[in-house]
Amino acid sequence: MKFQIDKTDGNARACTIQTAHSTIQTPIFMPVGTVGSVKSLDAKDVMEEVGAKIILGNTYHLYLRPGDETIRHFGGLHGFTKFPYSFLTDSGGFQAFSLSDISKADQNGITFKSHIDGSTHYFTPEKVLDIQYNFNSDIMMILDDLVALPATKERIALSIQRTTDWAKRAIAYHLRKKAEGIGTHQNIFAIIQGGTDQEFRRISANELCELPFDGFAIGGLSVGEANREMYDTVEFVTPLMPTHKPRYLMGVGTPEDLVENVERGVDMFDCVMPTRNARNGSLFTSFGKISIKNAKFALDENPIDPECDCLTCKHYSRGYLHHLYRAKELTYFRLASIHNLHYYLHLMAQMREAILQGSFAAFKAEFYRKRGN
Amino acid sequence: MKFQIDKTDGNARACTIQTAHSTIQTPIFMPVGTVGSVKSLDAKDVMEEVGAKIILGNTYHLYLRPGDETIRHFGGLHGFTKFPYSFLTDSGGFQAFSLSDISKADQNGITFKSHIDGSTHYFTPEKVLDIQYNFNSDIMMILDDLVALPATKERIALSIQRTTDWAKRAIAYHLRKKAEGIGTHQNIFAIIQGGTDQEFRRISANELCELPFDGFAIGGLSVGEANREMYDTVEFVTPLMPTHKPRYLMGVGTPEDLVENVERGVDMFDCVMPTRNARNGSLFTSFGKISIKNAKFALDENPIDPECDCLTCKHYSRGYLHHLYRAKELTYFRLASIHNLHYYLHLMAQMREAILQGSFAAFKAEFYRKRGN
């Protein structure tokens, strides 16, 4: 991975990441393609209508179905899904922890039962990399140890320690594998944990950032804490991260979260919000969210957002989308998902442009002014 | 509507229909867009990926939701859905009869309860045209009187008589409306009934075909009768229909049905089969149907049909589609629907080409040879 900082504006950064499969201009939002498709879209949509150069796949889901060996058979995620640009895949740990009926961490990894068929599986730091080698992911996330909150200080301290131990095992394994010619074009990111506790965050960041990872993520946020706590934690952690490597805030968030965290020095984001909200009738616009199911849109001939030039806004009215939503038509899901993802990626592109122009503060003020706050 | 016969080959016909919104080359299959969208596709897909120049809308559904006045507000179906080519809309009678909990015909029309909210409505021959004027449909079907089978000869005779009476009321109403400047670019088709009984079919065809409709449909088939009975009925009825007007076989059918009935002189078809089967995992190919859910496709890198050049076959493997189907991904429904509709429309285009070349019999033999029967 080649990484270059094109421009900074305060703590906000405009960078370029070059992987084996695409050139990614940051700040960037990665659409979530959980089981190998961004829900309701095909690869052509994601390239042409959304304009994404990188998407996220979930290792837990893809490992269970269709299985990493099947994906390897098709030439990795790129060959299987025919999305030719970059894939970032998570470690599977978060879903093993949250989706499985039973999951249990020990010092070597996580035991869990499949939510599909109840079969038992074991993820270790090495195993989740082997899976991601089969995926041929451009960016692989390592296994971290998650704890259910509330937890004792002792359990959180153990989690931080274990996350560091697993990170050391992961990077050692990856360097060994690369020496064997495996995953030579693949990159590996570590995940800083510690909740909203500054001391834990400092320990985790310091221990991980001295290891030769290709990039670093901030995990364990956007799990129900107040926005202010998230922003403060990011503001505390980013200065502890290397300047010359990508910074990825996992599972975040709302448009406001993106603006606030770009301002605090984050380069990469992912979240199910734009696609999930689209399916629930919640659409993002430059003037805030609208609920397309609202009866007031029944006769509305305007596009979702008059400032938007996505496929959906170029062709269809709020009234038609309102009808498709109410009639539960499959067509609705794709048109709404294209709009919301286009909104997210366009917002990131606008932020990049503002950073390049040195006008991020003005952009942020205008962003909030338009939505009336 | 301008109608021209370009070529005949036996009883098979290649014709051109020119409506206010498109030029339609027959024989043609009309994708079904029940509530204003071909399920899982948007108008751009229907135009560019399927290549349809005419689609069907269901009056019963569109009248109940969003309502014909709403559609009129958006400039008719074309303005509402943004599909710019032709729409044929049915009369609503079939769905009022089959989807409603309670429906009852009297000599003036059909009383029924909405399947959505239980509200009571009354369709008359005039009312269903008023609805279709609001839709601005290019081809309007008139109300006919359907009977639940089995029925007595007396009830069927009444149905035929009532269908003729309603047809006379419909054409009189339409001519009056056109004189008032309403629906001047819209066309109106009558529907020949009579089940598989030749005497009833002869009476119905003779009574209707002497009225100045723009085209004629054969209704009441594909309702569970043997294929042979359907083919024999069509073979019996088409010679009773005017040569110089379009012939439309409603609700038909399988690829084999299309080939057999084109051979018997039918110009137009519609059916939910390609889209509904797609959603259920059943995909059409030049060598017959395949069930994509079958485990044997899990590692299959071939497209659905190597002879097909649809979006789906150009980009995606059977293995990927198998995975999307099993994971119940929304993306699957669109890719499968595009393929099946493309298959249907391509089959019609091949038949037209064969008719123009005078080689329909050879085409038909090859069609069956490829599927091994």
Side-chain angles (χ1 to χ4, degrees):
Chain A
M1 169 187 289
K2 285 187 203 156
F3 178 79
Q4 151 189 320
I5 299 172
D6 302 316
K7 186 84 161 50
T8 58
D9 182 5
N11 291 320
R13 300 144 50 106
C15 310
T16 299
I17 300 171
Q18 176 80 53
T19 73
H21 291 97
S22 65
T23 300
I24 302 152
Q25 297 192 308
T26 77
I28 193 67
F29 180 85
M30 301 180 283
V32 176
T34 299
V35 306
S37 75
V38 175
K39 288 197 190 301
S40 82
L41 308 186
D42 79 325
K44 191 160 173 275
D45 285 336
V46 176
M47 287 188 280
E48 297 179 8
E49 306 302 343
V50 175
K53 291 291 195 290
I54 179 168
I55 64 176
L56 181 144
N58 287 119
T59 289
Y60 169 90
H61 289 92
L62 292 163
Y63 161 76
L64 291 178
R65 184 171 57 194
D68 52 303
E69 291 291 349
T70 295
I71 291 170
R72 179 191 170 88
H73 166 85
F74 285 93
L77 283 170
H78 308 85
F80 186 55
T81 68
K82 298 299 162 76
F83 180 72
Y85 303 142
S86 298
F87 278 89
L88 179 147
T89 45
D90 61 12
S91 70
F94 181 77
Q95 275 83 19
F97 182 76
S98 61
L99 288 183
S100 174
D101 289 338
I102 301 168
S103 73
K104 191 173 156 4
D106 62 42
Q107 67 177 33
N108 278 313
I110 303 171
T111 305
F112 64 95
K113 289 203 171 189
S114 160
H115 74 291
I116 299 171
D117 64 7
S119 55
T120 301
H121 301 268
Y122 191 50
F123 276 170
T124 65
E126 295 81 9
K127 169 79 176 172
V128 301
L129 290 181
D130 284 336
I131 294 168
Q132 293 177 88
Y133 294 136
N134 282 338
F135 292 164
N136 196 28
S137 319
D138 296 279
I139 300 174
M140 307 183 291
M141 303 305 298
I142 63 163
L143 195 66
D144 50 358
D145 183 35
L146 301 161
V147 287
L149 294 178
T152 62
K153 280 242 169 192
E154 290 69 27
R155 180 64 188 90
I156 298 173
L158 173 64
S159 153
I160 298 303
Q161 182 55 50
R162 205 175 256 168
T163 293
T164 298
D165 290 346
W166 290 358
K168 288 177 179 167
R169 281 170 55 181
I171 193 70
Y173 188 71
H174 182 55
L175 294 175
R176 207 157 67 238
K177 284 288 166 181
K178 275 171 75 166
E180 293 170 16
I182 292 168
T184 50
H185 297 293
Q186 295 181 257
N187 301 285
I188 184 170
F189 280 25
I191 304 165
I192 300 164
Q193 291 289 352
T196 55
D197 183 299
Q198 293 196 350
E199 194 45 35
F200 283 133
R201 283 285 173 185
R202 184 194 310 276
I203 295 169
S204 186
N206 286 343
E207 289 180 351
L208 295 173
C209 293
E210 70 181 20
L211 299 171
F213 287 99
D214 301 296
F216 295 90
I218 304 173
L221 290 179
S222 201
V223 292
E225 77 282 1
N227 287 345
R228 175 51 54 191
E229 285 190 287
M230 182 213 289
Y231 304 157
D232 287 349
T233 303
V234 170
E235 192 166 317
F236 177 79
V237 175
T238 47
L240 305 173
M241 300 166 82
T243 303
H244 57 289
K245 289 185 177 175
R247 301 165 177 172
Y248 163 32
L249 178 56
M250 302 182 79
V252 173
T254 64
E256 291 81 356
D257 290 341
L258 302 180
V259 172
E260 294 293 339
N261 289 302
V262 165
E263 186 180 36
R264 288 163 173 80
V266 173
D267 307 314
M268 303 168 65
F269 300 84
D270 81 283
C271 191
V272 295
M273 185 171 280
T275 39
R276 182 175 292 167
N277 278 20
R279 298 196 300 280
N280 294 333
S282 185
L283 304 177
F284 295 98
T285 76
S286 52
F287 48 87
K289 265 196 299 191
I290 66 170
S291 175
I292 199 66
K293 68 185 91 169
N294 194 311
K296 74 179 176 191
F297 296 123
L299 296 177
D300 193 334
E301 297 174 72
N302 294 300
I304 300 166
D305 185 344
E307 290 188 16
C308 178
D309 66 348
C310 79
L311 169 81
T312 308
C313 287
K314 270 190 298 197
H315 292 94
Y316 305 104
S317 65
R318 292 174 185 160
Y320 182 57
L321 294 164
H322 169 82
H323 166 64
L324 293 180
Y325 179 84
R326 300 262 278 222
K328 300 184 172 63
E329 282 291 287
L330 287 168
T331 301
Y332 167 79
F333 299 110
R334 174 169 172 264
L335 293 178
S337 298
I338 285 174
H339 170 79
N340 272 1
L341 285 173
H342 185 279
Y343 174 83
Y344 265 61
L345 271 83
H346 181 62
L347 175 62
M348 303 313 284
Q350 287 176 299
M351 285 197 273
R352 176 177 170 86
E353 187 57 27
I355 295 164
L356 293 176
Q357 302 292 328
S359 60
F360 188 83
F363 170 83
K364 183 183 169 187
E366 176 69 4
F367 169 82
Y368 279 115
R369 191 195 61 74
K370 275 189 183 167
R371 35 192 79 208
N373 47 4
Chain B
M1 167 187 287
K2 284 188 203 156
F3 178 79
Q4 154 190 316
I5 298 170
D6 302 317
K7 186 86 162 49
T8 59
D9 183 4
N11 291 322
R13 300 144 51 106
C15 311
T16 299
I17 300 171
Q18 175 82 51
T19 73
H21 290 96
S22 65
T23 300
I24 303 152
Q25 296 192 309
T26 78
I28 192 67
F29 179 85
M30 301 180 284
V32 176
T34 299
V35 306
S37 75
V38 176
K39 286 196 190 303
S40 83
L41 309 186
D42 79 326
K44 192 161 171 275
D45 286 335
V46 177
M47 286 187 282
E48 296 178 8
E49 306 303 343
V50 174
K53 291 291 195 292
I54 178 168
I55 64 176
L56 180 144
N58 287 119
T59 289
Y60 169 89
H61 290 90
L62 292 164
Y63 160 76
L64 291 178
R65 184 171 58 196
D68 52 304
E69 291 291 348
T70 294
I71 290 170
R72 178 191 171 87
H73 167 83
F74 284 93
L77 284 169
H78 308 85
F80 187 54
T81 68
K82 298 300 163 74
F83 181 72
Y85 303 144
S86 298
F87 278 89
L88 179 147
T89 45
D90 61 12
S91 71
F94 182 76
Q95 276 83 18
F97 182 76
S98 61
L99 288 182
S100 173
D101 289 337
I102 301 170
S103 74
K104 191 173 155 11
D106 61 43
Q107 68 177 34
N108 278 313
I110 303 171
T111 305
F112 64 96
K113 288 202 173 194
S114 160
H115 74 292
I116 299 171
D117 65 6
S119 55
T120 300
H121 301 266
Y122 191 50
F123 275 170
T124 65
E126 295 81 9
K127 170 77 176 175
V128 301
L129 290 181
D130 283 337
I131 295 168
Q132 294 176 86
Y133 294 135
N134 281 338
F135 292 163
N136 197 27
S137 319
D138 296 281
I139 300 175
M140 307 183 289
M141 303 304 297
I142 63 164
L143 194 67
D144 51 357
D145 182 36
L146 301 161
V147 287
L149 295 176
T152 61
K153 279 244 169 191
E154 289 70 26
R155 180 65 188 90
I156 299 174
L158 173 64
S159 152
I160 297 304
Q161 181 56 49
R162 207 176 254 169
T163 293
T164 298
D165 291 345
W166 290 357
K168 288 177 178 168
R169 280 170 56 182
I171 194 70
Y173 188 70
H174 183 55
L175 294 175
R176 207 156 68 237
K177 283 288 166 181
K178 274 171 76 167
E180 293 169 17
I182 292 169
T184 51
H185 296 294
Q186 295 182 258
N187 301 284
I188 186 170
F189 280 26
I191 305 165
I192 299 164
Q193 292 289 352
T196 55
D197 182 299
Q198 292 196 350
E199 194 46 33
F200 283 131
R201 284 282 174 187
R202 183 195 308 278
I203 295 169
S204 186
N206 286 343
E207 290 180 348
L208 295 173
C209 293
E210 69 182 20
L211 299 172
F213 286 99
D214 301 297
F216 295 90
I218 303 173
L221 290 178
S222 201
V223 291
E225 76 281 2
N227 288 344
R228 175 51 54 193
E229 285 189 288
M230 181 213 290
Y231 305 156
D232 287 348
T233 303
V234 170
E235 192 166 318
F236 176 78
V237 174
T238 47
L240 305 175
M241 300 167 82
T243 302
H244 57 291
K245 289 184 178 176
R247 301 166 178 169
Y248 163 32
L249 179 57
M250 301 182 80
V252 173
T254 64
E256 292 80 356
D257 290 340
L258 301 180
V259 172
E260 294 293 339
N261 289 301
V262 164
E263 186 180 36
R264 288 163 174 80
V266 173
D267 306 314
M268 303 166 68
F269 300 85
D270 80 284
C271 191
V272 295
M273 184 172 279
T275 40
R276 182 175 291 166
N277 278 20
R279 297 196 301 280
N280 293 334
S282 184
L283 304 177
F284 295 98
T285 76
S286 53
F287 47 88
K289 265 196 299 189
I290 66 170
S291 175
I292 199 66
K293 67 186 92 171
N294 194 312
K296 75 179 176 190
F297 296 122
L299 297 176
D300 193 333
E301 297 174 72
N302 294 301
I304 300 166
D305 185 346
E307 291 188 16
C308 178
D309 66 349
C310 79
L311 169 82
T312 308
C313 287
K314 271 190 298 198
H315 293 95
Y316 305 104
S317 65
R318 291 173 186 161
Y320 182 57
L321 294 165
H322 169 83
H323 166 65
L324 293 180
Y325 179 85
R326 301 263 278 221
K328 300 184 173 60
E329 283 290 287
L330 287 167
T331 301
Y332 167 79
F333 299 110
R334 174 169 171 265
L335 294 178
S337 298
I338 285 174
H339 170 79
N340 272 2
L341 284 174
H342 185 279
Y343 174 83
Y344 265 62
L345 270 82
H346 181 62
L347 175 61
M348 303 313 285
Q350 287 176 301
M351 285 196 272
R352 178 178 169 87
E353 187 57 29
I355 294 164
L356 293 176
Q357 302 292 330
S359 59
F360 189 84
F363 170 83
K364 182 183 169 186
E366 177 68 3
F367 169 83
Y368 279 115
R369 191 195 60 74
K370 275 189 182 169
R371 37 193 78 209
N373 48 0

